[in-house]
Amino acid sequence: MSQSPKSPTPPTPATGPSPLTPPPPVPTSADVARLAGVSRATVSYVLNNAEAVRISEPTRLKVRRAAEELGYVPHAAARSLRAGHTRLVLLPTSHVPVGPLYSAFLNELQWALRRLDYTVVQYGSLGLTGDEAARAWAELRPVAVISLGEITLSAHNVATLKRAGARAVITMGPDGVPGAHALVMDQQEVGARAAAHLVERGRRRIGVVVPEEDGLELFSAPRLAGARSVAGADVETFPMAYTEESAAALAARWRRLGRDAAFAYNDEYAMLLMRALQDEGLAVPADVAVIGADDLLLGRLLRPRLSTVRLELPTGDHLAELVDRAVREPSELTRRHDLMTAVAVHREST
Amino acid sequence: MSQSPKSPTPPTPATGPSPLTPPPPVPTSADVARLAGVSRATVSYVLNNAEAVRISEPTRLKVRRAAEELGYVPHAAARSLRAGHTRLVLLPTSHVPVGPLYSAFLNELQWALRRLDYTVVQYGSLGLTGDEAARAWAELRPVAVISLGEITLSAHNVATLKRAGARAVITMGPDGVPGAHALVMDQQEVGARAAAHLVERGRRRIGVVVPEEDGLELFSAPRLAGARSVAGADVETFPMAYTEESAAALAARWRRLGRDAAFAYNDEYAMLLMRALQDEGLAVPADVAVIGADDLLLGRLLRPRLSTVRLELPTGDHLAELVDRAVREPSELTRRHDLMTAVAVHREST
DNA sequence: TTGAAAGCGTTACCAT
DNA sequence: ATGGTAACGCTTTCAA
């Protein structure tokens, strides 16, 4: 411990909190062992409640007390390095304002997975390409990846993840990715239900309102495609930003567009548009029917009450169980699973 | 390169895919080294673009090609174990439907941190106690924790995290936690602005609408306290759930409550209540003034347009920079930082 | 310019 | 019943 006179950061023992950030040592299981007067193995046994070996009660107590005193917390990285695998479930998110349904669903899912003893981690992946994202995720060696559609995964990306040890890669969306467990939460269904509802009520010339905002295409595109797929529906698309101005601009030219109905990406856009149309002097639903999607509570506050398409998401527990099964028996879940249904809710705006 | 488009065919013996889930080996840097005919050290140098050492271009190419072919992705845990520290920033979330502002803010923050070369991970912590959460987070050895208030951290919890190597623990909320870097995003300010706005406009008997839902107390309680703190405000609280029924029930007894103004937890609750009051035959703002918070776009769609309190959140870049500074120089940022301001926005409902 | 070896914190096997 | 030891994958001196 001799101190060099030239060293700019002298390892001086006597100085208190040095200005030059002396990184305080993190207690390890070896420290606990030393303090408790036992071996590291014993510490491990005690702290992990190992059944295979019998440790005397006094020893257990000593170890526990030492760990407590040191504030010892095991090092997850070291543990999983040794174990050769993790219990990490990666949940890529892009934080698109995707609504309370989705939030509630994510919550449920996290809880359910945690109950199954997985560590759930959300990885913000906004703006990453599939390749970048797959690499970044793979570095963490997750046992499962649940990609809810914010990122489009290629077959190659899925392969990367699997090679990195992921036992289950679950994608949502209409198209199953080769190698992944496709979990069909088909947004097309939403558009199809909306358009069908409108057609049933005698509206055929449907204007589909598509968000101008980035990051929503993955939801809006299939919804649009679904609307297009409905027989008898004459669909035209209109981009609109999530602002009053954009809505007003679209409403101002609505009469000239010759559309007798509007299907907006979701209820928020629908509300915005409906208000703008009304301010423009058009009667809803007489002049133009308006339907949204997601069944937001706030949509019922406008007059007329907003018709919508409600999504029946799978329960978090259901999906969690599916994930767990896929992890334990990867070959099992290669087929597609349909989990989402959509149903049009008629209120007053259609 | 006459390679089949199929799998790279690992040097497995003759056994095909066994039914008993043989975990396929994850390629390591040793595998890359072997394939490239170099040492593991060289692989590390090449793949990390080590400046200190000069590797010949042909060698670099060989290594890169081998890594590519094997689909090698470094093992983050092993790397940080060796390094003795991580670049992991933990962002506990509870997924309360906290609004688009917040989502946008989180997005910004993630981006900014990623630009600073941190790995940002959200850890769903809904329903965990402070102790459980702190332990779980500490296991991941994050270099920083940004707790946005969903979990109340005790001084002991902060100590746990710091002992586990966290160089910065940032909490938001009015009360700084000892040992943490307090980042004051004081929700009290919101309530104070709302109440002051109402008092200014001659309303003193303010009914504060508090959500019945769990998990929102951490936001609603300080907002209420802020309203109480305003001189001249006579505050009474009314719990309300986020349903039309609950709003209608509250509205039905509103006349008897003798309140000439309502301040709702946020714009969503305010919209719900305002509609219910109107349906009950009360005039807004003549009979009762209504103000919300968060300045949601949808609040402008009702008539009268909803007055609100707008939050000026710090930019993600700003907070990210603060975190980075705290990480690099932990002693620096022990003082409180005020980052949030609130301002009442008068529209038509007050 | 490249290779050999040590060591990060854990746990599982094998001795005692 | 407990302790020594090897190994997980990676980076980084040090030596050739």
Side-chain angles (χ1 to χ4, degrees):
Chain A
M1 320 306 165
S2 57
Q3 45 190 46
S4 142
K6 304 186 70 174
S7 167
T9 55
T12 47
T15 48
S18 148
L20 253 302
T21 69
V26 180
T28 74
S29 77
D31 295 325
V32 177
R34 208 170 304 124
L35 181 56
V38 301
S39 78
R40 305 202 323 279
T42 306
V43 171
S44 177
Y45 289 144
V46 172
L47 263 35
N48 295 314
N49 295 312
E51 315 276 345
V53 285
R54 307 178 89 73
I55 307 283
S56 71
E57 204 50 45
T59 305
R60 305 184 95 92
L61 214 65
K62 271 195 308 186
V63 170
R64 291 225 157 80
R65 215 193 300 281
E68 179 79 17
E69 182 172 335
L70 263 51
Y72 168 74
V73 174
H75 193 312
R79 184 191 299 237
S80 63
L81 185 57
R82 161 70 208 197
H85 61 109
T86 71
R87 296 283 290 173
L88 181 69
V89 175
L90 211 59
L91 210 54
T93 54
S94 69
H95 258 295
V96 290
V98 76
L101 291 74
Y102 208 70
S103 295
F105 168 67
L106 282 184
N107 252 337
E108 250 189 55
L109 179 59
Q110 296 209 18
W111 261 106
L113 284 171
R114 188 144 56 205
R115 240 187 326 258
L116 292 171
D117 200 37
Y118 291 99
T119 299
V120 184
V121 151
Q122 282 177 256
Y123 194 103
S125 307
L126 182 71
L128 295 183
T129 69
D131 286 351
E132 292 166 336
R135 256 196 93 84
W137 303 343
E139 289 196 357
L140 301 178
R141 297 288 190 271
V143 70
V145 176
I146 308 181
S147 178
L148 268 26
E150 295 84 355
I151 299 264
T152 15
L153 253 39
S154 70
H156 179 252
N157 295 333
V158 173
T160 298
L161 288 167
K162 293 232 162 155
R163 243 194 323 253
R167 310 258 296 175
V169 177
I170 290 176
T171 59
M172 294 187 168
D175 46 346
V177 177
H181 306 302
L183 216 52
V184 182
M185 293 184 56
D186 196 345
Q187 299 290 333
Q188 289 199 33
E189 190 73 5
V190 176
R193 296 294 176 181
H197 173 79
L198 292 171
V199 169
E200 268 171 32
R201 306 191 67 82
R203 316 287 177 136
R204 322 190 75 89
R205 305 184 52 76
I206 303 174
V208 173
V209 175
V210 178
E212 282 180 2
E213 280 76 14
D214 286 341
L216 262 40
E217 309 83 20
L218 272 152
F219 287 81
S220 67
R223 289 183 179 190
L224 168 61
R228 281 225 160 87
S229 73
V230 171
D234 164 24
V235 167
E236 194 175 344
T237 70
F238 304 102
M240 184 184 111
Y242 188 61
T243 63
E244 286 187 291
E245 295 72 29
S246 182
L250 178 54
R253 58 196 191 96
W254 193 265
R255 291 181 207 271
R256 275 170 284 142
L257 299 176
R259 300 277 121 191
D260 57 14
F263 162 49
Y265 160 64
N266 71 5
D267 282 352
E268 297 187 302
Y269 285 79
M271 289 171 73
L272 216 45
L273 177 62
M274 185 166 84
R275 168 54 73 192
L277 290 169
Q278 288 173 319
D279 287 349
E280 197 63 36
L282 285 105
V284 178
D287 295 332
V288 48
V290 177
I291 188 170
D294 290 355
D295 194 20
L296 291 194
L297 179 49
L298 297 183
R300 302 177 213 176
L301 302 186
L302 294 185
R303 296 297 179 264
R305 289 161 183 267
L306 186 65
S307 294
T308 189
V309 176
R310 188 183 334 126
L311 268 71
E312 314 274 7
L313 289 175
T315 68
D317 304 81
H318 186 22
L319 182 49
E321 206 187 317
L322 226 54
V323 171
D324 187 45
R325 220 180 317 154
V327 165
R328 300 214 298 235
E329 189 45 78
S331 59
E332 170 135 342
L333 188 68
T334 325
R335 64 185 184 284
R336 293 165 61 115
H337 285 252
D338 285 279
L339 286 179
M340 198 187 78
T341 61
V343 50
V345 179
H346 175 59
R347 296 231 165 81
E348 302 164 359
S349 67
T350 50
Chain B
M1 306 303 162
S2 64
Q3 60 182 30
S4 119
K6 296 288 187 177
S7 71
T9 349
T12 50
T15 52
S18 147
L20 253 301
T21 68
V26 181
T28 74
S29 78
D31 295 325
V32 177
R34 207 170 304 125
L35 181 57
V38 300
S39 76
R40 279 158 52 238
T42 307
V43 171
S44 177
Y45 289 142
V46 172
L47 264 35
N48 295 314
N49 295 312
E51 314 275 345
V53 107
R54 303 183 81 74
I55 308 283
S56 71
E57 204 49 46
T59 304
R60 306 184 94 92
L61 215 64
K62 271 194 307 188
V63 170
R64 291 223 156 80
R65 215 193 298 282
E68 179 79 16
E69 183 171 336
L70 264 50
Y72 168 74
V73 175
H75 193 311
R79 182 190 300 233
S80 64
L81 186 58
R82 161 72 209 205
H85 60 98
T86 71
R87 296 284 290 174
L88 179 71
V89 175
L90 210 59
L91 212 54
T93 55
S94 68
H95 259 294
V96 290
V98 76
L101 292 73
Y102 208 69
S103 295
F105 168 67
L106 283 184
N107 252 337
E108 250 190 55
L109 179 59
Q110 296 209 18
W111 260 107
L113 284 170
R114 188 145 55 205
R115 235 182 336 250
L116 292 170
D117 200 37
Y118 291 99
T119 299
V120 184
V121 150
Q122 284 176 255
Y123 193 104
S125 306
L126 182 71
L128 295 184
T129 70
D131 285 351
E132 293 166 336
R135 254 196 94 85
W137 302 344
E139 289 195 357
L140 302 177
R141 297 288 189 272
V143 69
V145 176
I146 308 182
S147 178
L148 266 28
E150 295 84 353
I151 300 265
T152 16
L153 252 40
S154 69
H156 179 253
N157 295 333
V158 173
T160 298
L161 287 168
K162 292 232 163 154
R163 244 194 324 253
R167 310 258 296 175
V169 177
I170 291 176
T171 60
M172 294 188 168
D175 46 344
V177 177
H181 306 303
L183 215 53
V184 183
M185 294 186 53
D186 195 348
Q187 298 289 334
Q188 289 201 32
E189 189 74 5
V190 176
R193 295 296 175 179
H197 173 80
L198 292 171
V199 169
E200 268 172 33
R201 305 191 67 82
R203 317 286 176 135
R204 321 190 76 89
R205 304 184 52 77
I206 303 174
V208 173
V209 175
V210 178
E212 283 180 1
E213 280 75 14
D214 287 341
L216 261 41
E217 309 83 21
L218 272 152
F219 287 80
S220 67
R223 288 183 180 189
L224 168 60
R228 281 225 160 87
S229 73
V230 170
D234 164 24
V235 167
E236 194 176 344
T237 70
F238 304 103
M240 185 184 110
Y242 188 62
T243 64
E244 287 186 290
E245 294 71 30
S246 182
L250 178 55
R253 58 196 190 97
W254 192 266
R255 290 180 208 271
R256 275 171 283 144
L257 299 175
R259 301 277 119 192
D260 58 12
F263 162 50
Y265 161 63
N266 72 5
D267 282 352
E268 297 186 302
Y269 285 80
M271 290 171 72
L272 215 46
L273 177 61
M274 185 165 84
R275 167 55 71 190
L277 291 169
Q278 289 173 320
D279 288 350
E280 196 62 35
L282 286 106
V284 178
D287 296 331
V288 49
V290 177
I291 188 169
D294 290 355
D295 195 20
L296 292 195
L297 179 50
L298 296 183
R300 301 177 214 175
L301 302 186
L302 294 185
R303 296 297 179 265
R305 289 161 183 267
L306 186 65
S307 295
T308 190
V309 177
R310 184 176 345 120
L311 268 73
E312 313 275 6
L313 288 175
T315 67
D317 304 81
H318 186 20
L319 181 49
E321 207 187 317
L322 225 53
V323 170
D324 187 46
R325 220 181 316 155
V327 166
R328 300 214 299 235
E329 189 44 80
S331 60
E332 171 136 338
L333 189 67
T334 325
R335 65 186 182 282
R336 292 164 62 115
H337 285 250
D338 286 279
L339 286 179
M340 200 188 76
T341 61
V343 50
V345 179
H346 174 58
R347 295 229 166 83
E348 302 164 0
S349 67
T350 52

